[in-house]
Amino acid sequence: MLEAPDQYTRCTAAAEHIRSLHAATLTLGIILGSGLGDFASQVEDATTIAYADIPGWPLSTVAGHSGKLVLGTIGGVNVAVMQGRVHAYEGYSMAEVTFPTRVLRLLGCTGLIVTNAAGGINKSYGQGGLVCISDHINLTGTNAALGPNDSRFACSPASGQRFFDMSTAYSARLRQIAHAEAAKQNIPLPEGVYLAVLGPSYETPAEIRAFRTLGADLVGMSTVHEVIVARHMGIEVLGLSLVTNMAAGVLDQAINHEEVMETGKRVEKQFTALVKALVPQVAAQ
Ligand code: CYT
């Protein structure tokens, strides 16, 4: 029996297909969270590829995740913008959830801006606020780098290790750039620890109280897996959360996906202005 191709081989096939449609070597990947997909319209000279047309690329089943890869430039930087992502709660394996991030690396990306819609645990946050992720707590019960180690994905000889450091997962350099730009644009940008759960149920009030005690400021169902494999490969990461709702029990109201999407739409302008200005600064290394 023929053995199934390994992750590296499958990611290489996807990268080759993408390169056949858009030849530029990329510098920066941007993953857009729920409600933030319109940012992709900022890409100039865009080549848009539906995820469904990329061999091996997993397809999102969630409303609000449109499923397109937009390649082109922002501020002269060669970027790949992911409009939509898949989540483990959809039933996808870690290999599938991390597939796009691995492919971004094979296309040349050495930087990643990862964004998400999150619940606010920190009571000083407000709905619609942006937060710069300083660190994360992975309570999804699994790890993105699960499985055989493959050092072929690495940016540098120092990365691609079986056991790899996560103490500087969210780049201090990029966080500083984000804070300076936010201040310039008069956008409040506090820092926070993002705690990831598996989902798809939103959290209970008791869970949120527990997570606050653990040191979490934000809760969501994405991001940590992408960041873990990005760090495995030596990619520098900036993480931004949009507080689409206050987490369960913080306010006396239920949480629903429509609210999450609406908040994204409301803050889109601010988010777009900030990230657009950050791209050339993040890429300048
Ligand atoms: N909100 C969100 N939990 C929340 O309360 N967007 C993800 C997870």
Side-chain angles (χ1 to χ4, degrees):
M1 202 179 81
L2 227 65
E3 245 186 88
D6 65 15
Q7 170 91 330
Y8 185 79
T9 306
R10 289 185 293 116
C11 289
T12 301
E16 275 170 11
H17 177 74
I18 294 163
R19 236 186 259 115
S20 74
L21 301 170
H22 187 88
T25 297
L26 306 179
T27 301
L28 183 65
I30 303 173
I31 304 177
L32 300 174
S34 304
L36 299 171
D38 284 354
F39 178 80
S41 66
Q42 298 302 314
V43 178
E44 291 168 41
D45 302 316
T47 304
T48 300
I49 310 173
Y51 291 165
D53 294 334
I54 307 171
W57 197 286
L59 303 180
S60 177
T61 59
V62 189
H65 283 265
S66 84
K68 278 183 227 139
L69 184 66
V70 183
L71 306 134
T73 63
I74 294 178
V77 178
N78 283 308
V79 297
V81 179
M82 279 174 55
Q83 206 177 31
R85 58 150 69 90
V86 299
H87 304 78
Y89 63 70
E90 295 174 75
Y92 285 109
S93 68
M94 282 298 103
E96 290 165 312
V97 168
T98 58
F99 184 93
T101 311
R102 298 285 198 192
V103 174
L104 292 180
R105 168 69 208 119
L106 296 182
L107 292 170
C109 294
T110 53
L112 178 70
I113 300 179
V114 58
T115 72
N116 60 57
I121 296 176
N122 187 321
K123 291 176 183 171
S124 77
Y125 297 166
Q127 194 182 16
L130 294 170
V131 179
C132 182
I133 303 175
S134 58
D135 203 348
H136 78 219
I137 299 172
N138 176 11
L139 287 191
T140 65
T142 186
N143 191 287
L146 210 64
N149 185 52
D150 196 330
S151 60
R152 288 175 291 178
F153 286 107
C155 290
S156 66
S159 49
Q161 308 291 320
R162 170 76 297 182
F163 303 105
F164 52 99
D165 184 50
M166 288 292 288
S167 60
T168 55
Y170 298 85
S171 160
R173 179 184 85 88
L174 300 188
R175 280 153 61 197
Q176 200 180 1
I177 288 171
H179 289 303
E181 183 59 37
K184 202 169 134 194
Q185 295 192 26
N186 265 315
I187 298 171
L189 188 69
E191 289 218 321
V193 172
Y194 177 91
L195 183 147
V197 294
L198 181 59
S201 58
Y202 288 120
E203 305 70 35
T204 64
E207 286 167 342
I208 294 302
R209 285 194 300 275
F211 295 165
R212 185 178 295 121
T213 303
L214 290 176
D217 299 297
L218 301 151
V219 64
M221 306 168 191
S222 67
T223 303
V224 298
H225 305 308
E226 292 142 351
V227 172
I228 288 169
V229 293
R231 294 308 296 152
H232 175 256
M233 300 184 290
I235 290 177
E236 195 178 17
V237 175
L238 175 67
L240 296 172
S241 283
L242 166 63
V243 179
T244 48
N245 59 278
M246 293 311 287
V250 176
L251 305 173
D252 189 18
Q253 60 189 47
I255 299 161
N256 65 76
H257 185 59
E258 286 67 38
E259 181 188 25
V260 168
M261 296 303 296
E262 272 166 32
T263 308
K265 291 282 150 272
R266 197 155 54 72
V267 185
E268 192 107 58
K269 260 208 180 107
Q270 230 182 23
F271 172 81
T272 296
L274 178 64
V275 177
K276 195 176 174 185
L278 286 176
V279 167
Q281 302 179 59
V282 169
Q285 236 309 29

